[in-house]
Amino acid sequence: MDWKVLTGMVVGYFVYIFFGGLIFHFIESPKEDKVRTSSRNVSLAFLERFSCVSEAEFESLVKALINAYDMGVIQTNSTSSVSNWDIASATFFSSTVVTTIGYGNISPSTEGGRAFCVLYAIFGIPFTGILLSAIGEKLKNLAKRAISSKKCAKDTKTCALIRCATVLGAGVIVFLFIPSVTFTVTEGWTYAESLYYCFITLSTIGFGDFVPGKYFGGIQIQLNNHKVCSNLPYRYTKNRSVSHIRPGHFQPPG
């Protein structure tokens, strides 16, 4: 490849990245600003209503809850999230490692876990690549036999296009459309959300904003009756609840 062409491709690549960032900025930043303002208003209203809680104490509680949430733990006096490292969850995490999806919703927090993750990925990622290559070869051969005919023997270009379209169409149906229906039913997502999740997963982008089993139909956190000005960090409003915690779906106490 000529150096001028390569240089042009590099420049074009960075322009493409900047263009994407610009579009995402204008689409996503207005909602972020609204959430930021709403969260700030909720915090100020809470501190104004319960003056016995200092701003430093409140921020300390919020940071503790955020740190726990970053590790996949949702904990209140009466409700706790399911374990992130039970056999089923740990097996699901292993699959995200070897497929390089890496949702980011959970990750090893111990030195031993991190060391094993590196060793596990070194062998698991190539193994996954070999397996997927073998499956792809089998699918290609099946498609080749399914559409083989005298016409294909005479027109190899047409045959190749038909074969490619058949494999691609089957892949889209099996790995995108059908799983999207399944996730719509089992996870309570919309079909568009499920389709988005399947594409982000199959492309190994793996944002982690949607993860199967993460919400179990929406986690409903009910806070027991607690006197607000006693026993930090358990200072909550009486009979308050936050329902269906999901990204962008926080509903402050009314």
Side-chain angles (χ1 to χ4, degrees):
M1 182 180 292
D2 186 81
W3 277 103
K4 291 183 179 179
V5 176
L6 179 60
T7 302
M9 289 180 65
V10 171
V11 172
Y13 181 75
F14 283 104
V15 169
Y16 185 76
I17 291 175
F18 178 75
F19 172 76
L22 200 64
I23 298 300
F24 282 125
H25 166 74
F26 285 111
I27 292 176
E28 296 295 330
S29 60
K31 184 174 182 178
E32 181 190 39
D33 292 339
K34 289 181 180 179
V35 172
R36 194 184 303 276
T37 301
S38 176
S39 300
R40 182 59 180 167
N41 291 339
V42 169
S43 300
L44 292 175
F46 179 89
L47 291 171
E48 182 179 352
R49 183 173 181 180
F50 306 108
S51 57
C52 54
V53 181
S54 69
E55 186 170 350
E57 289 174 326
F58 179 74
E59 289 185 359
S60 178
L61 172 61
V62 170
K63 288 179 180 179
L65 294 175
I66 290 175
N67 288 335
Y69 183 79
D70 286 342
M71 295 184 67
V73 176
I74 300 177
Q75 181 72 54
T76 70
N77 279 7
S78 60
T79 304
S80 179
S81 59
V82 295
S83 172
N84 290 313
W85 296 108
D86 57 17
I87 298 299
S89 299
T91 302
F92 178 73
F93 171 77
S94 297
S95 71
T96 67
V97 172
V98 297
T99 55
T100 71
I101 296 172
Y103 289 118
N105 59 312
I106 58 172
S107 59
S109 58
T110 63
E111 294 296 329
R114 290 166 181 166
F116 176 74
C117 184
V118 172
L119 186 64
Y120 185 74
I122 288 175
F123 292 97
I125 293 173
F127 186 21
T128 303
I130 293 171
L131 176 62
L132 292 177
S133 178
I135 293 173
E137 186 67 24
K138 285 293 183 182
L139 290 175
K140 186 180 74 172
N141 292 336
L142 287 173
K144 186 176 180 179
R145 286 200 297 266
I147 62 175
S148 59
S149 63
K150 294 181 179 180
K151 181 179 180 180
C152 282
K154 296 179 180 179
D155 191 349
T156 56
K157 289 185 178 180
T158 301
C159 184
L161 287 174
I162 295 174
R163 187 183 305 125
C164 181
T166 302
V167 173
L168 183 61
V172 169
I173 293 172
V174 173
F175 295 109
L176 279 178
F177 292 157
I178 294 178
S180 295
V181 174
T182 303
F183 290 125
T184 299
V185 174
T186 60
E187 299 296 326
W189 301 338
T190 65
Y191 186 77
E193 289 173 337
S194 299
L195 195 62
Y196 163 81
Y197 162 77
C198 289
F199 176 79
I200 292 299
T201 297
L202 288 174
S203 60
T204 72
I205 297 173
F207 289 126
D209 48 352
F210 290 92
V211 179
K214 186 176 181 181
Y215 305 109
F216 298 98
I219 298 174
Q220 186 173 26
I221 302 175
Q222 296 289 342
L223 304 183
N224 291 338
N225 298 340
H226 292 284
K227 193 172 182 179
V228 174
C229 294
S230 64
N231 300 324
L232 274 174
Y234 302 113
R235 292 176 174 174
Y236 300 105
T237 59
K238 187 175 182 180
N239 292 326
R240 293 288 182 178
S241 66
V242 181
S243 300
H244 303 294
I245 304 298
R246 293 182 59 181
H249 289 74
F250 174 70
Q251 297 178 358

